[in-house]
Amino acid sequence: LFLPFSAPQDTLAIRGNSALLNCSAHSDTATPARIEWKKDGTFMSLVSDERRNILPDGSLFFTHVIHSKHNKPDEGTYQCVATIDTLGSISSRTARLSVAGIPRFTSQPSPASVHLGDSHVMACEVNTDLVPFTRWEKDRQQPELGARLIQLPNGALVISNASEADAGLYRCAVEPVGSSKFSEDAQLQTVPGESGKRERLFLNCCVCCSLHCAIKGEAGHHLIWRVCYQRPQELTFVYLVGVDGVAPPQFVKRPSNIYAHETMDIIFECEVSGSPAPTVKWVKNGDAVIPSDYFKIIKEHNLQVLGLVKSDEGFYQCLAENDAGNIQSSAQLIILDYDIALPSFPPPSLTPKTTDHVTPGSGGVDGPAGPTPSAPRDVVASLVSTRFIKLTWRQPAEPHGDELTYSVFYSQEGTSRERVVNTSRPGEMQVTIQNLMPDTKYRFRVTAHNSNGQGESSATLKVATQAEVQVPGPAPNLQAVANTPTSVSLSWDKPLTGNGEILTYKLFYTDRVSTLVLFQDVDVDGQSYTMTGLKKNTEYSFRVVANNKHGPGVSTDDIVVRTLSDVPSAPPQNLTLEVQNSKGIMLRWQPPPLSGQNGEITSYKIRYRKGSRRSESAVITAGTQLSKLIDGLEPGTEYSFRVSATTVNGTGPATDWTTAETFESDLDESRVPDQPSSLHVRPLVNSIVASWTPPENQDIVVRGYTISYGIGSPHAQTIKVDYKQRYFTIENLDPSSHYVITLKAFNNVGEGIPVYESAITRPQSDPIDPDVDLYELFHAPYTPVPDPSPMMPPVGVQASVVSHDAIKVTWADNLLPKNQKITDNRYYTVRWKTNIPANAKVKAANSTSLSHLVTGLKPNTQYEFSVMVTKGRRFSTWSMTAVGTTLETSPSSAPKDVTVVSKENKPRTIIVNWQPPSEANGKITGYIIYYSTDVNAVVHDWVIEPVVGNRLTHQIQELTVDTVYYFKIQARNSKGMGPMSEAVQFRTPKSKFKTRADVKFPSGFDLDLNKTGVGSSENHLLVIIIIIAVGVFTIIVVVVGAFLCTRRTTSHQKKKRAASKSSNGSHKYKGNAKDLKPPDLWIHHERLELKPMDKSPEPNPVMTETPILRTSQDITPADSGLESNPHLQQRRNSYRGQSYPKERPKNPLIGWFPPYLLGHESEDSMSTLAGRRGMRPKMMMPFDAQPPQRKCVCVILLQSRCSE
């Protein structure tokens, strides 16, 4: 990441002096940035330059500037370029180094006289580049500039309100180098102000002169003024003629960093302003981007890159320049692997390390594992045109899913840059590739996607677009002119490349107001057409396509024209009247619907008349004014009103007549109101509900009511409410306490006589009176009967939900006519309340119509609404209640009480707990846990752990021990994400590793788990399982080998046994044991021995009896190093007179041999074998009572062999 670096600024240098152009760049990578400089667009070679060198921070330093008439090596445009090999390059803005010339005075101060109190200008003009070095002297001293003495940007000195102290000798000085250069001296004299004797000079009107007024700042605007002197007796007038504005470029929208995959199309946006209009160019890694088929400039300054490849990665800069200056802004493009999901929002900064924090899969959540689809079948080009190709295909043979989506990758033959187009909906197996080049070969391939990811690619299909020479080119000189509010005339010329006779033209058009842009078309035979039946004052877009015998040609660019305006075709909406007093009525309305305005509303015309008279009066308001107070009316008189809208074309239709009657007399406010006629209180546990009726004498103005209350005295607390309110709930009171309440009406004169009432709040444990209606108790506190003839309350109250914070309440009034038009001075009061929290206050608002939009509500909250009507001094009771629940919106507060604890005996695992946000604004559907070791890291560098549902705890594993982590949590609902919680710090505990696994291994078998990287009990168990599996495999191989070898008996051996049996009936071999030579049954003598054994004297025993094994030495393992292993101790177990080990040896290096393969010899035999091989371990096989039958064991794993 390149941090913002200091760029060089325009500099004015002095010949022979030193100069410095600043530039420094920093990076958060370990590799420092390499700074290089360009002069006039070419890299500078500064290796052997002793006069110009680059400082350690990257700035360019000139020891002395060289400048002459014919040699100007240092003057020019400079730019620094910072490069990091692993990231790319980034360029600064350009800076101009100018060298000041020799000072020359083009205008010098001259002697002058000035009247006291007048103003005077001392001129001093020098070379433009030396103006900043200009200063003034008075009597060889530098004067103090201030409100009266001002030095203008061009160097002139202005003396305002001249006094005698201003007289003296003035000169201006220029100090570009060393000694200063001075102008000629000019004497300024002050003259007493004798205005009667001074001759006035007046110019004929209108004599003009130009005054330059410089505005400080980067813009450098110059304003030209015109001053006109009229007659001597009149003041002068000043008019602004124009603005010669010169403003350097400024970014309206900067390019943003982008994540992308290969084959995608991306757009870098760049919008600039300035005067004159800046020129914009793009640079990638310091090199200019040249527009091509894949790099395009769209919408004036935006850069579009089509079909991304890995080499497109790097830094892109938008450079804007005009006569006033230049600016640059950079953005980075990171191309990720396909198995890494793109972030949902681009990060503020990108580096190569960024990919370390991007989780493969779907947004960091592990997706379901499973097979992906096979390749789509039968990919064909079903339609080929000059600039588009339509592809179709069949579903893969193995889709592994129901709803498949497809991606079509295509590239131009001969290029490696591949682009991709996705199908618009699941299951769609066709796509049209647009914007191709005519007569060009393309390669296409298709892949399918299921829930497990992208599948195999189809074989490449090569298709060539058709040549375009056969169809007409675009029709030039397309023009459109609006004739009337509903018609437009169009004309165009014949295409320059007609490629044959033009058969017809097709005119496409659409209005630009509709959200869905749908072009309609008309066939035209000639080269002009008048389109009728259009909407008034509406923008339309037109284009023309010529057709010949080969088909439609190339379309023209769109041309936009607006139809003419007209008088409004609809009246204003929602006209309401509200009687203010005996002489005034307030009118309110809304503009006509947009479709009926037919142009810009310039004014509204209000017509009104008294009673049934025909004579009317008219009042006109501005087009933006939507209310008007009509005053000066007669008291107690009925008036009718209507309103119409006006455009430049005329006045449209008016509303229906609406009637209202003024009051017979105005209320009196020369004295305070009388005492309220009644006050009722209803005590609850922690509140008292007060309700009242207004004073009986209602001819006096009441502006509101003052409620005072307190324990024993009413002067502790005071609350003021509106004059329309008739009840109030006093809350946060103490239980079982005696309160005194007073109520006073007030107006602008003062407060009236109070009415007193007292009440004792209920005790904390007091049950609710069963006779009291709960709904009435909490929702509609006592409402007094207003007067002997009450009005009917509104009916049909409905609450329509509009948004997350607004509900529209509508109702009907049975006292109105059937058309429900309000023709009198009645108004409605809407009140609303929610039960969450339980002590929520009731709110109210007034409306003069049969609806009211209640705003400022809480999201996802249920509200109850009721309405009452008031007419003059009469009012109704509250209507039935309507209920509405606002819509959800994203959470507006963060999760609370975030805590982190470690899991017992698992130092690398922690448990995060939290509570839901206080303002969830809907049902919480999940949380996202962010954690990092750097609390100041940007959000996209934190690791993300998603939590689905409304769980309030989550376990995170595989953390680093003894490390400080920071945790944040963000809640989400169906509408979006809420804010993050504050970071919570937690240090993981230190590790407690064991030195030896619980499973013990035979001595001599050194299996150090720590050396092999196995450090947990789970891995120990895995090693044991592997050992047992190897042992079982060895057993199976040994058993199968033994079985095969024992059945190998030749006919020669049988004959030999028969001869032995007939000659020796005792079944004993000739000779003694010492004379017997052991058979050649050695199996790698250093490992194992097999020895024949003497037969038993019993007749035909199945197996010879052998001594019962007593110790482990009776069977010796092949490796003497294992003798001391206690795990090889064996228990005695007899089977038909034979004893064999009950347990298997646990050394994984030797297999477990079944008991019937382990024989025993006589002591002589053992001694003989011991004599041959010393104390070599051995294994012996038993012989049955039959003639000697040699048996052998082929132990494959021990490299055995069988012989006679």
Side-chain angles (χ1 to χ4, degrees), residues 7 18 335 376 387 531 948:
S18 62
I335 298 180
R387 293 184 179 271
M531 183 73 66
V948 180

Side-chain angles (χ1 to χ4, degrees), residues 114-122 138 143-152 156-167 170 188 190:
V114 59
H115 289 274
L116 295 177
D118 284 357
S119 299
H120 183 71
V121 178
M122 305 285 288
K138 174 180 176 289
E144 183 178 353
L145 301 179
R148 289 194 321 107
L149 294 180
I150 301 174
Q151 183 172 344
L152 298 180
L157 180 66
V158 178
I159 303 174
S160 302
N161 192 19
S163 64
E164 293 181 355
D166 295 327
Y170 287 84
L188 179 66
T190 57

Side-chain angles (χ1 to χ4, degrees), residues 12 126-135 151 153-155 173-175:
L12 177 65
V126 296
N127 314 32
T128 305
D129 53 0
L130 292 178
V131 170
F133 299 95
T134 304
R135 65 178 178 83
Q151 183 172 344
N154 64 355
V174 181
E175 298 177 326

